Amino acid sequence: MFRFRAQPLISAAWFALGFIALRVVYRALFNGLNRGGQVLLDLPAFRLPEPVNHVVLLGPITSEGLAIAVASALPIALIILGFGVINAVLNVPALVARASHRGPLRSVAQALVIAWATLPSLTVSVRDVRRARALRGERGLAALLVPVMEQTLERAVALGTSMEVRGFAADPAPAAGPAEAVPAIHLDAVTLSYGTSWQLRGDVTLKAGQLAVLLGPTGSGKSTLLHAISGLHTHIYAGTLTGTLALAGVDRTLSPHRTAHLIGVISQQPRLAFVAESVREEIGFASRVQGAPRAEVERRVVSTAERVGITDLLDASTATLSAGQAHLVAIAAAIAHEPAVLLADEPLADLDADSRTRVTKLLRDLADQGLTVLVAEHRTADLLPQADVVLTLVPDGEDHLRVALSPGPHSPRQGLPPLTSPMSAPAPALAPSTKPSSPTDSPVAQIRGARVAFGVTTLIADATLTLGSEEIVAISGDVGSGKTSLLQAIALPRPGVVTIAGIDVAGLSRTKRVAALTLVPDLSDDLLFSITVERECARADHAAGAERGATARRFATFLDLPELSTQQRAMHPRDLSVGQRRLLAIAIQLAPDPRLLLIDEPSRGLDQRAALAVREAIITTAKHGTPVLLATHDRAFAAIAHRRLHLANGQLHAEVLT
């Protein structure tokens, strides 16, 4: 429970100083610093007109007035600092989690953990949003505060849902599991809906020991179906459910924490759902809050980490994990408490080839051992051959879909028709007319001495690269090798690191830098600042000086639509599916028509059709003379590159194209 970490203390100190500064500014604005003593700054005073003529703005700033303002802020600043000290030496979330299944104040304990885990993330949100503002060339306080508030709320909701499905504040799990004769997952005439426009209908029965793969286009409702089975659809996200849905014979009307011992859930955005501060604590969280003895928790943590291949990460902080590492940790955390059913939403995203192979084998082994595994996944080349059952979301009228079942390639049954699903087929090769042309010899962008460091640890010391006109370069690398960090270092460079057409990018203004160099980052949701899709697209058009409606049209093309509907335009960007938000971010970052395009995992969360549309957009961008540097684990996507580089041990190595 006890350890010392400097970061919470540093963050608290900055918050305390920030509060004091805000207090002083507030007092100065409303004539509150003219309290005698030496005049430090003689500002003119302005009295507002009636009916608020009693309000005076500005005025002289005196030494005594400044001292009084600082003193008035000290009590709250000291409280903030005190919380920082406590958080630095005591692992409060772990302490509360350990005691959560005892005593009457369970809801209070849950709220305390959410608050305690969310507040430190404010500093992370501010950092991420500031970086996103720089990537989009945005200025202004609104472009900082609104996204930070949205991210904080999203983080709090993700924490709450993660704690619910893992059994926080629930009664200890029963020792005996469900009988094998009872279907693990059973949907009978189920209809899921949000409001009156979107519906998903299904009749599904999955038995113990089956590995099922869930297919469907981006935004079709795969995550919603998983949320329904886990209980989040109705209990957290305010959706509706009719019909019968049972989990291991237990009616799904029970709240998620009541069935946490039966189920493991892997979120599509695992980093948002991490409750604990260390990987070891995160993997053991569900077992701990469900009442397992401490020795048993540790045994499960160690054995699960070995199965997933992340033993070396056990003592790492969850805040420092790469996207791929975060997915591996989320997988371990979902299976460590030995559930009967595993629901996985894009578990292979952000994983390198070796990790995908290892995770696919793990899922198959879990199913063979009696666990029912339901996986929603776009990248099915490795996974689909191991499937016993394939569920495909297919259209069933306007805004309606249904679940169609097919036997999987791994099904032992004979005489059944082969699986025929457009999602199961390999990605078609690019037509000859769309293949990227050979790049010109003329260099457009030069990267010299790009460096990535975390504290005193240097991950990449000297990355050097030259990109020619129309050239596409793909970077691969193992999970945690530093691909994302390298792209960020190039996008927001130090002086002398990146030159485009002989101009040092670091010396350009925000607007000119965005026109010269654009990045679609790993966490692309950070790029969304507005409250509707229409405003987001118009904002991008205005900032880029592009034709009005250009970004909205590109987004519609990515969605395979002639144009966005009125309802789609009015949606909040964060109400889109994860894949749709990814497409919107790509459309936004393409708006400036930059001289150099950087894109991190362009196919993440996208179905085959959407990935092909993005691939086509990248090729078109390159044909217009813009070099493209992309980082991806998707070998099929990387096939469009003229050069492939592999990042290992902090160095870029050329791959031989075959």
Side-chain angles (χ1 to χ4, degrees), residues 177-196:
E180 287 191 8
V182 178
I185 299 174
H186 180 62
L187 284 74
D188 184 10
V190 164
T191 299
L192 309 175
S193 62
Y194 285 114
T196 58

Side-chain angles (χ1 to χ4, degrees), residues 19 63 87 119 128 140 191 248 263 270 290 294 366 469 500 505 541 545 552 567 582 641 647:
F19 179 80
S63 57
N87 200 20
L119 287 176
D128 292 344
T191 299
I263 195 167
Q290 291 174 27
R294 184 178 301 183
L366 290 170
S469 177
I500 297 178
V505 173
D541 291 338
Q567 182 182 5
R582 183 71 172 166
L647 181 59

